Amino acid sequence: MRIIISACSVVRDPRATPKPLLQQSSWSSLWHLEAETSEAMSNGSAGSRPPDMTNPGRPRAQESFPEPPLMKAVFTHLSYGILILLGHVCDFLRKLGMKRDPYTEALKNEDLFKMNLDFEMFFTRNIYRRIRDCWNRPIASAPGAYTDLVDRVSDDCNWTFRYTGTKTNCLNLGSYNYLGFAENTGPCADAAYQSTLDYGAGTCSPARELGTLDVHKKLEALVARFVGKPAALVFGMGFATNSMNIPALMGKGCLIVSNELNHASIVTGAKLSGATVKVFKHNSVKSLEAILRRAVTDGQPRTHRPWRKILILVEGVYSMEGSLAPLPEIVQLKKKYKAYVYLDEAHSIGAMGPTGRGVCEYWGVDPADIDIMMGTFTKSFGAAGGYIAANQDVINYLRGASHSTTYATSVPAPVAQQIITSMTIIMGDDGTKEGEKRVAQLLDNSRYFRQRLTEMNFIVYGNEDSPVVPILLYEPGKVTSFSRELLKKKIAVVVVGFPATSIVEARARICLSASHTRDMLDYALKEINEVGDLLLLKK
Amino acid sequence: MESGPVDLGGFYGTVDIHLELEERLAKFTGREEAIIYSYGFATISSAIPAYSKRRDIIFCDEGVCFAVQKGLAASRSKIKYFRHNDMDHLEQLLEEQLKLDKKNPAKEKVTRKFIVAEALYMNHGDLCPLPKLVEFRNRYRTPIFLEESLSFGVLGEHGRGATEHWGLKPGDVDLICASLETAMGSTGGFCAGKSYVVDHQRLSGIGYCFSASMPPMLAAASIKGLDIMEGSPQIFSQLRDKAVAMRRLLRGTPGLRVCGESVNPVIHLQLACPSSSRDTDDELLERVARECIDSGVAVVVAKYLKEELKLPPASLRVTVCVELSEDELEKAAKVIKTAAAKHIL
């Protein structure tokens, strides 16, 4: 009952600020600094807006988050309401034995896991299952600008899939291949291959034991130089870089102030650390300052002792929103309130900034002002794993205190070599202009694609310069149709809905790449335009 | 085949080679389905919170490794620890819970219970009495999660793990989790069990959903590893024989005692007379390890963090590889004994 009521009521979007619904203007900026009341902002605001680093004459890139139109919100809730009702009817029929499907067959034996208890399982069984052909689509090639999707069909409404044995070559708008390093030929692949011959596949040991190789030392020095910090440490998994190091840095008596839309790895790390966690509204400098001010004046609850440490956790680029954290303002706040900043650059390292050094370069912020810089190698480097870059003493401490360096195996040698080679190319140290070319191409693609989509009247979120372009779809039915229709046109896109996003804001998330040419983007735009008309996705 | 994944499993990060590896692992372990993770540590620490939530109860051995402890912490469930390998204590806890359940059947209906243990304990080296756990599972209707990182590719006639070693049916253990970074020598990990159980992790296992998938090259390495394991089943008994032989050779090491199950190739050499200071003990063992490395034998001091639930005793860890010959094992044991004699006594 609770579920139906909440699904049918208009859920207030936690990020909604009281703004009027968007009129017809195609590119009105709704995001503005909410720090008018803060003295720090009024003192430094004129100088704190960094110019566009590639074109000093260009005004600061705009971000926009249009409110969902009322009718779309109503229909979205109605859709979920109907799906939930249908789900309950199906469960009832299953109980009566009138509906036979693989789920009922599997549960013929006693379900020791009591999988029926959570809404999660209900959702998976009755809603997600119907449309799960849109996700987990296997590929059979490197995820470059084009990728081979393995064809599959379902004979039983998506309970199981059958592979037909064929593949379809599709334009890939879904993979995080920002700089096009997801290649199985070229200098990176050759170097990784040689590394496998020299070192083998896995290291079979944590970094603190026998798992530190000379390639790791080389990689760490390179990463530190790339991001502009004195030292760096690398880890085998990007997710684990957050979830296993935040607990090593923060503990009881510490305060973590985290953006409400931070990634699951940051949330896990914050939870496991034992520190107190407070959440501020997405990219709202006003909300962040209010929390910091409270923290400094009130101290810890009950004892009112000052917090041992205050850490602000933000991401460079938010992958579901396409937005950028307002780094200059956050740095000013951190200096004012003597807090620390932890910047997760999973989606921005390699992808933002004139030479791909990330959001610090993009905003013109000195890396020395960011206490801990974290990033992953999965997106722009075509590899795996993550890094943390900071001052030498922090890195020395982490080397001994990190859960990952003590218990988890280190980065496999071929992966480390892949990162070294790709990073060297991006920095231009290989003597070519390839890196520079790729970074510029990515920025050009991002701007072009977003601008064209906006001209076509699609509702698009995020920053103009961000390579992540979310197109809002709203209704669950449109989410699946968008994905399926584009697949028919041989375009692979990623769609995301509830519970990964808020209930009203299901979207297609386009990830642009330096390996996309103008022709590929034009083809994609043409097809998206047609599907957009078909599904009434435009404003 | 490139060495990076470039995407989440759910968003074009699943490569056909991952599907092949999952199928092969499921077949090898005799289960319906397997799911692979890109990081060994993330496997069990994501699997536990995928099933067990805030109001649920987990009966767990005190001696579990750090990855399991993090999984338990992430689940937010009520954890009831039983003394290491003490089945009577576990039975007592289960009986107490049964009494509480009888008093409040409505609560019992909405509370899940699990037993978590390791087949071969990483920190202690001993075997867990799995048949007894299975008996409790059947009697108290409490599913078992078994951590098999050290037993996969080690125990059992064909290296299928603890279930084969103890002569049990695959269905007796509800979910096994193992790292592919140990015996397999690759990267990542997997969970295997019934289809509807394992499938749940594809949406609820945070280390699976929110993380990039395994680099295809390393998945290929694991598949080749499975080919070798299936093609040469004699290597498992050879490995266990060498483990037994090495333990015999290391017996009588001055100042150190050999711990753990005889067939376990991971041998903990604990200090026979530990001092009151853990740092002193670790430093002493580091000197022994350094001496061994200088003499051409790489051994390590087992590293732990102070956040461990129960800090295991300081130990030197010697790992036997099936490719080492008898001569090499003898030479290594001699070097370790000499180093120990020099520094400890």
Side-chain angles (χ1 to χ4, degrees):
Chain A
M1 187 46 92
R2 173 180 57 79
I3 298 156
I4 296 174
I5 289 170
S6 67
C8 288
S9 65
V10 177
V11 173
R12 189 170 179 281
D13 180 354
R15 284 176 299 130
T17 52
K19 296 190 201 82
L21 285 176
L22 241 203
Q23 298 305 303
Q24 269 304 306
S25 67
S26 60
W27 200 237
S28 54
S29 167
L30 292 180
W31 179 71
H32 54 275
L33 290 176
E34 289 169 281
E36 292 89 355
T37 54
S38 160
E39 355 165 356
M41 301 311 110
S42 59
N43 286 340
S45 50
S48 70
R49 289 180 172 232
D52 178 346
M53 301 301 286
T54 54
N55 184 355
R58 196 170 183 278
R60 192 191 220 191
Q62 305 298 309
E63 284 201 0
S64 106
F65 299 97
E67 283 272 313
L70 182 63
M71 285 318 290
K72 285 206 193 282
V74 167
F75 278 120
T76 307
H77 282 91
L78 201 60
S79 310
Y80 278 111
I82 293 170
L83 286 168
I84 288 167
L85 203 62
L86 202 60
H88 282 297
V89 167
C90 286
D91 276 351
F92 181 65
L93 292 174
R94 286 189 187 107
K95 242 194 213 159
L96 296 180
M98 290 167 64
K99 193 178 191 320
R100 287 222 181 284
D101 52 37
Y103 178 72
T104 43
E105 295 306 312
L107 290 192
K108 268 209 170 96
N109 301 319
E110 187 188 346
D111 176 19
L112 293 179
F113 283 77
K114 297 187 187 168
M115 300 270 244
N116 287 323
L117 290 181
D118 288 330
F119 177 63
E120 243 174 83
M121 285 306 298
F122 172 90
F123 185 86
T124 309
R125 181 168 66 243
N126 294 311
I127 299 173
Y128 172 74
R129 189 258 319 156
R130 292 176 192 280
I131 55 175
R132 72 184 190 121
D133 58 297
C134 298
W135 292 277
N136 287 296
R137 289 179 179 154
I139 62 174
S141 69
Y146 282 94
T147 190
D148 290 330
L149 249 59
V150 177
D151 295 329
R152 55 182 189 171
V153 292
S154 179
D155 303 316
D156 52 5
C157 297
N158 287 347
W159 286 108
T160 57
F161 290 107
R162 178 171 51 86
Y163 297 102
T164 58
T166 54
K167 295 188 280 216
T168 309
N169 190 254
C170 296
L171 178 62
N172 186 357
L173 294 179
S175 293
Y176 303 128
N177 183 22
Y178 297 137
L179 294 180
F181 281 111
E183 303 158 327
N184 55 5
T185 53
C188 294
D190 294 339
Y193 171 72
Q194 187 56 45
S195 188
T196 316
L197 296 179
D198 295 336
Y199 295 98
T203 58
C204 299
S205 194
R208 275 179 76 189
E209 294 178 0
L210 288 176
T212 301
L213 308 175
D214 48 1
V215 275
H216 295 141
K217 289 285 177 209
K218 195 172 160 199
L219 174 59
E220 285 168 2
L222 191 63
V223 168
R225 190 158 63 93
F226 187 78
V227 301
K229 291 297 269 187
L233 200 50
V234 295
F235 307 95
M237 185 195 197
F239 185 103
T241 307
N242 280 329
S243 66
M244 291 161 91
N245 289 305
I246 295 175
L249 294 166
M250 303 295 279
K252 284 207 159 40
C254 300
L255 175 67
I256 290 177
V257 189
S258 169
N259 185 302
E260 67 178 338
L261 295 184
N262 273 340
H263 188 257
S265 57
I266 300 176
V267 172
T268 308
K271 267 204 297 209
L272 289 175
S273 67
T276 306
V277 181
K278 292 215 190 310
V279 169
F280 68 95
K281 290 200 173 60
H282 178 59
N283 278 355
S284 165
V285 178
K286 190 168 155 196
S287 168
L288 172 59
E289 184 167 24
I291 293 176
L292 287 173
R293 184 174 282 158
R294 212 58 206 279
V296 165
T297 53
D298 292 358
Q300 297 185 43
R302 288 194 302 276
T303 60
H304 296 292
R305 277 203 212 116
W307 293 100
R308 284 174 48 215
K309 275 178 281 198
I310 301 178
L311 185 69
I312 304 169
L313 288 176
V314 289
E315 292 185 39
V317 167
Y318 289 90
S319 65
M320 282 298 161
E321 315 295 313
S323 53
L324 269 59
L327 215 50
E329 289 78 17
I330 291 174
V331 165
Q332 280 187 318
L333 276 182
K334 114 163 184 164
K335 285 178 175 165
K336 181 180 180 190
Y337 293 99
K338 307 268 189 297
Y340 298 102
V341 172
Y342 182 111
L343 176 65
D344 178 334
E345 292 214 76
H347 285 269
S348 50
I349 194 71
M352 302 296 294
T355 60
R357 306 301 173 104
V359 284
C360 281
E361 188 188 34
Y362 176 82
W363 287 114
V365 165
D366 184 359
D369 286 334
I370 308 290
D371 303 280
I372 315 262
M373 292 174 73
M374 174 268 168
T376 63
F377 301 118
T378 334
K379 286 84 184 177
S380 302
F381 303 95
Y387 68 86
I388 284 188
N391 291 338
Q392 191 66 60
D393 49 356
V394 175
I395 298 298
N396 288 346
Y397 165 76
L398 267 184
R399 230 181 262 283
S402 164
H403 301 183
S404 181
T405 54
T406 311
Y407 294 108
T409 52
S410 50
V411 182
V415 176
Q417 187 55 53
Q418 162 83 20
I419 305 163
I420 290 171
T421 318
S422 56
M423 203 174 266
T424 309
I425 293 173
I426 296 171
M427 288 168 89
D429 285 358
D430 62 332
T432 69
K433 293 227 178 273
E434 185 63 25
E436 201 181 298
K437 203 177 92 187
R438 289 186 190 221
V439 173
Q441 183 67 46
L442 177 65
L443 181 63
D444 183 64
N445 285 351
S446 311
R447 286 184 176 157
Y448 175 70
F449 201 79
R450 189 183 290 274
Q451 183 195 330
R452 285 287 310 278
L453 282 176
T454 319
E455 282 165 8
M456 290 177 194
N457 277 330
F458 282 98
I459 302 173
V460 177
Y461 273 8
N463 189 296
E464 278 181 334
D465 295 337
S466 139
V468 174
V469 184
I471 305 173
L472 270 290
L473 304 173
Y474 303 109
E475 288 99 323
K478 293 191 183 179
V479 166
T480 42
S481 302
F482 190 82
S483 178
R484 288 170 183 163
E485 288 301 315
L486 283 178
L487 188 61
K488 285 182 198 163
K489 313 275 172 91
K490 298 200 176 30
I491 299 176
V493 291
V494 158
V495 290
V496 208
F498 181 78
T501 61
S502 72
I503 202 166
V504 218
E505 288 172 354
R507 63 199 67 179
R509 194 196 55 193
I510 311 281
C511 286
L512 293 158
S513 163
S515 52
H516 288 139
T517 62
R518 197 48 82 93
D519 288 338
M520 292 177 198
L521 296 185
D522 285 336
Y523 172 72
L525 286 162
K526 174 172 148 289
E527 299 301 340
I528 290 174
N529 191 28
E530 278 179 29
V531 173
D533 287 329
L534 177 70
L535 300 178
L536 302 177
L537 291 173
K538 300 181 180 177
K539 283 184 217 158
Chain B
M1 192 56 71
E2 38 97 30
S3 65
V6 296
D7 217 334
L8 309 190
F11 302 156
Y12 307 109
T14 305
V15 188
D16 51 357
I17 206 161
H18 295 140
L19 301 176
E20 192 188 332
L21 178 58
E22 284 178 358
E23 221 180 284
R24 291 286 302 274
L25 285 167
K27 194 162 143 237
F28 184 78
T29 54
R31 262 85 181 178
E32 277 178 25
E33 195 171 324
I35 180 174
I36 50 179
Y37 285 82
S38 56
Y39 204 50
F41 190 103
T43 310
I44 185 88
S45 59
S46 300
I48 296 175
Y51 303 99
S52 189
K53 310 289 177 188
R54 204 173 271 272
R55 59 168 180 249
D56 302 326
I57 302 170
I58 300 180
F59 299 93
C60 184
D61 190 298
E62 258 179 3
V64 286
C65 64
F66 199 74
V68 178
Q69 292 170 37
K70 287 298 124 188
L72 298 173
S75 71
R76 296 281 194 251
S77 308
K78 188 149 182 237
I79 317 292
K80 297 196 169 167
Y81 290 101
F82 59 92
R83 285 182 292 271
H84 179 53
N85 270 351
D86 188 344
M87 294 295 109
D88 294 331
H89 189 199
L90 174 58
E91 192 171 5
Q92 182 195 333
L93 291 173
L94 288 165
E95 278 296 325
E96 281 169 16
Q97 187 58 41
L98 190 65
K99 286 200 185 83
L100 288 170
D101 289 344
K102 287 206 171 102
K103 277 196 198 139
N104 195 345
K107 190 173 179 195
E108 189 273 334
K109 244 187 152 178
V110 296
T111 307
R112 300 182 190 99
K113 295 187 286 293
F114 301 99
I115 298 175
V116 174
E118 280 178 58
L120 260 182
Y121 286 92
M122 192 163 299
N123 295 348
H124 302 271
D126 43 5
L127 267 175
C128 108
L130 196 56
K132 197 78 186 151
L133 283 183
V134 172
E135 189 197 312
F136 291 153
R137 171 201 183 261
N138 296 330
R139 202 192 315 160
Y140 298 98
R141 317 306 300 149
T142 310
I144 303 174
F145 288 169
L146 193 65
E147 220 295 326
E148 289 224 61
S149 292
L150 288 191
S151 54
F152 176 73
V154 172
L155 295 183
E157 193 193 328
H158 299 96
R160 300 191 211 280
T163 326
E164 193 186 26
H165 173 84
W166 289 105
L168 299 164
K169 294 196 296 293
D172 288 336
V173 179
D174 302 88
L175 192 75
I176 60 167
C177 302
S179 163
L180 294 169
E181 292 162 0
T182 47
M184 191 60 91
S186 179
T187 217
F190 72 96
C191 289
K194 280 201 145 51
S195 266
Y196 82 94
V197 171
V198 166
D199 214 44
H200 177 70
Q201 285 181 50
R202 290 190 204 278
L203 272 193
S204 302
I206 48 172
Y208 182 85
C209 296
F210 294 105
S211 174
S213 50
M214 187 192 282
M217 206 185 81
L218 297 164
S222 296
I223 292 177
K224 194 68 196 166
L226 277 174
D227 289 340
I228 295 172
M229 283 161 78
E230 285 168 358
S232 323
Q234 71 281 2
I235 56 173
F236 306 109
S237 52
Q238 282 173 2
L239 175 65
R240 290 192 295 269
D241 291 341
K242 290 191 179 173
V244 169
M246 189 63 172
R247 279 173 194 277
R248 202 180 50 242
L249 289 165
L250 285 170
R251 218 164 280 148
T253 305
L256 297 172
R257 57 190 177 90
V258 179
C259 303
E261 188 64 34
S262 59
V263 295
N264 188 355
V266 176
I267 305 169
H268 282 274
L269 292 169
Q270 291 177 5
L271 282 167
C273 306
S275 74
S276 53
S277 158
R278 179 51 182 256
D279 287 339
T280 315
D281 289 346
D282 278 335
E283 274 164 32
L284 175 61
L285 290 171
E286 283 290 352
R287 287 199 290 275
V288 175
R290 176 49 50 191
E291 178 88 25
C292 292
I293 288 177
D294 291 342
S295 313
V297 175
V299 294
V300 288
V301 177
K303 300 279 187 301
Y304 305 103
L305 291 175
K306 56 177 162 45
E307 288 100 325
E308 285 266 1
L309 177 73
K310 273 207 133 174
L311 194 63
S315 64
L316 210 60
R317 208 172 56 227
V318 176
T319 312
V320 171
C321 169
V322 74
E323 291 188 338
L324 291 172
S325 65
E326 288 282 347
D327 283 337
E328 283 168 327
L329 291 178
E330 273 176 34
K331 236 174 89 189
K334 216 164 157 185
V335 163
I336 295 169
K337 280 178 160 160
T338 316
K342 183 173 172 190
H343 291 276
I344 298 180
L345 292 183

